[in-house]
Amino acid sequence: MKEKWTKRASYRLASTSGYIAKNFYPDYATAFRDDVVTTVRGVCRNPRIGIEAFPDIRRQEIRKILCKNRNWWVYYRIKQDCIEVLSVKHILQHVRTFRDL
């Protein structure tokens, strides 16, 4: 399957990378971005690898997966022809509903 990034997901990836590069280490920003992209590529090969993101609303196509560094969630939707990346959120950010993405 191919990947499709929403505007929100693209913005969150770029703004988080920029923040990390500016306030911490540029190398860590690159590693973060690479980790997210690698995670998404893995999801494209096996879309059901993630867990259901919002079990209460019973929409099994909306899922999340933890990146390798174990600090960031990638939220995505399984569509018929692609994986739609919805958002990238830190594990400490409270995401209780779809609107919190």
Side-chain angles (χ1 to χ4, degrees):
M1 276 192 151
K2 63 180 181 172
E3 63 190 71
K4 177 184 172 193
W5 289 70
T6 62
K7 287 182 184 179
R8 175 189 303 149
S10 295
Y11 172 78
R12 291 206 192 282
L13 181 62
S15 64
T16 302
S17 291
Y19 176 82
I20 292 169
K22 180 180 176 185
N23 295 297
F24 300 101
Y25 302 103
D27 290 344
Y28 180 63
T30 301
F32 159 73
R33 188 180 61 245
D34 291 348
D35 191 14
V36 171
V37 169
T38 300
T39 300
V40 170
R41 288 185 182 146
V43 167
C44 288
R45 287 189 299 274
N46 186 2
R48 298 248 173 231
I49 195 169
I51 61 173
E52 193 174 343
F54 307 105
D56 294 343
I57 64 171
R58 294 186 177 104
R59 300 228 3 232
Q60 293 183 7
E61 75 276 9
I62 301 173
R63 305 178 83 76
K64 66 182 181 178
I65 187 166
L66 201 55
C67 289
K68 185 178 179 181
N69 70 21
R70 309 198 57 80
N71 290 316
W72 296 90
W73 287 106
V74 174
Y75 288 83
Y76 65 97
R77 178 183 296 143
I78 302 171
K79 294 190 134 191
Q80 197 167 21
D81 61 338
C82 69
I83 297 300
E84 184 178 42
V85 182
L86 302 171
S87 191
V88 178
K89 299 289 261 188
H90 192 274
I91 59 170
L92 296 179
Q93 291 176 300
H94 298 286
V95 179
R96 293 184 182 94
T97 67
F98 190 75
R99 289 185 174 195
D100 293 333
L101 293 178

